[in-house]
């Protein structure tokens, strides 16, 4: 028997697509949804399933930013072949994305037993939602929003990339929330911080999904729910990306801060009353 049905895969695909790139924690929302549907959140196959359907959301980023990705990859290829091309910002940016992904890969492999075990608790999710909200609000308030995408440096990329570890260790913190907040602390404009978050998420989340694929299939999830969940997350994530970029161009992150606090408090209440089990 598959640990996840087709219907459940559709619901989880929608949740993943909506929340993966919004700074509200896709992992947290997925775990809450799984708990409400009676799916064991710490089951090996379930953990793997949620990592795999993230690939659908990443595919949406690849399609949405296709021209940008082609430009950056082309500059990287030219730089490898021609020394003079190595001064181009896009060439440097390609390397920075690679470098900035290394910290989360190292921590992810080293801490995997904790990530899949004790840290997968819904209590951790609830606390991380609220604590992450405080960071997001403070970052948005202190940022001068004066630096654009062309001003991004290796230091910026490394700090923003390393901040992904917070979401890896504390589900509910939000990878997007952590990276965007760090970008704002570095005085990046909201759109620049958001786009950097997208680009840094491509290798990190794709790698996680491919790494977990064998566990998802081998641990009891059939191919059909995986395919359905991934396709649904792709469609929904594409729409979510387009909406988010338009939203941050004109608004602060305060709406997300309030939403996260409400969800975090609600989750504490559900856990405390026994409606959900950690």
């Amino acid at each position: 028997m598959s640990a996840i049905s087709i219907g459940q895969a559709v619901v989880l695909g929608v949740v993943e697509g909506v929340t993966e790139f919004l700074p509200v924690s896709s992992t947290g929302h997925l775990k809450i949804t799984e708990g409400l549907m009676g799916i064991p959140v710490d089951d090996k196959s379930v953990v793997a399933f949620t990592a795999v359907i993230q690939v659908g959301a990443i595919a949406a980023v690849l399609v949405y930013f296709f021209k940008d990705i082609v430009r950056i990859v082309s500059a990287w290829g030219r730089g490898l072949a021609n020394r003079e091309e190595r001064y181009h910002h896009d060439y440097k940016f390609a390397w920075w994305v690679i470098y900035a992904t290394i910290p989360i890969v190292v921590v992810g492999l080293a801490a995997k037993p904790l990530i899949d075990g004790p840290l997968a608790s819904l209590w951790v999710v609830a606390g991380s939602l609220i604590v992450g909200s405080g960071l997001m609000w403070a970052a948005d308030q202190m940022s001068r929003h004066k630096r654009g995408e062309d001003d991004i440096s290796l230091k910026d990329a490394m700090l923003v990339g390393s901040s992904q570890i917070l979401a890896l260790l504390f589900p509910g913190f939000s990878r997007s929330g952590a990276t965007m907040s760090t970008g704002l602390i570095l005085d990046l404009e909201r759109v620049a911080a958001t786009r950097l978050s997208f680009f840094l998420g491509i290798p990190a989340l794709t790698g996680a999904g491919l790494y977990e694929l064998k566990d998802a299939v081998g641990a009891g999830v059939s191919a059909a729910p995986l395919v359905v969940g991934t396709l649904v997350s792709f469609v929904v994530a594409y729409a979510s990306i387009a909406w988010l970029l338009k939203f941050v161009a004109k608004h602060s992150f305060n709406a997300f801060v309030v939403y996260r606090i409400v969800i975090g408090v609600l989750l504490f209440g559900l856990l405390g009353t026994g409606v959900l089990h950690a």
Side-chain angles (χ1 to χ4, degrees), residues 202-250:
I202 293 173
L205 296 179
T206 301
L210 295 177
Y211 181 82
E212 296 284 3
L213 180 59
K214 64 182 187 305
D215 292 333
V217 176
V221 179
S222 64
L226 282 173
V227 172
V228 170
T230 302
L231 288 176
V232 171
S233 72
F234 167 80
V235 175
V236 178
Y238 189 92
S240 180
I241 292 168
W243 177 84
L244 179 61
L245 286 171
K246 292 179 181 178
F247 180 86
V248 299
K250 300 179 179 179

Side-chain angles (χ1 to χ4, degrees), residues 147-220:
R147 303 173 59 214
E149 196 167 342
D150 291 338
D151 299 316
I152 293 174
S153 65
L154 173 59
K155 176 184 176 182
D156 297 326
M158 291 301 298
L159 289 173
V160 174
S162 296
S163 71
Q164 296 178 110
I165 295 173
L166 287 171
L168 183 66
L169 297 178
F170 305 106
F173 210 96
S174 170
R175 189 202 66 83
S176 295
T179 52
M180 291 177 190
S181 295
T182 304
L184 291 176
I185 292 173
L186 296 169
D187 289 330
L188 292 178
E189 298 170 347
R190 292 191 185 97
V191 174
T194 302
R195 283 172 59 88
L196 178 59
S197 174
F198 285 142
F199 289 125
L200 289 174
I202 293 173
L205 296 179
T206 301
L210 295 177
Y211 181 82
E212 296 284 3
L213 180 59
K214 64 182 187 305
D215 292 333
V217 176

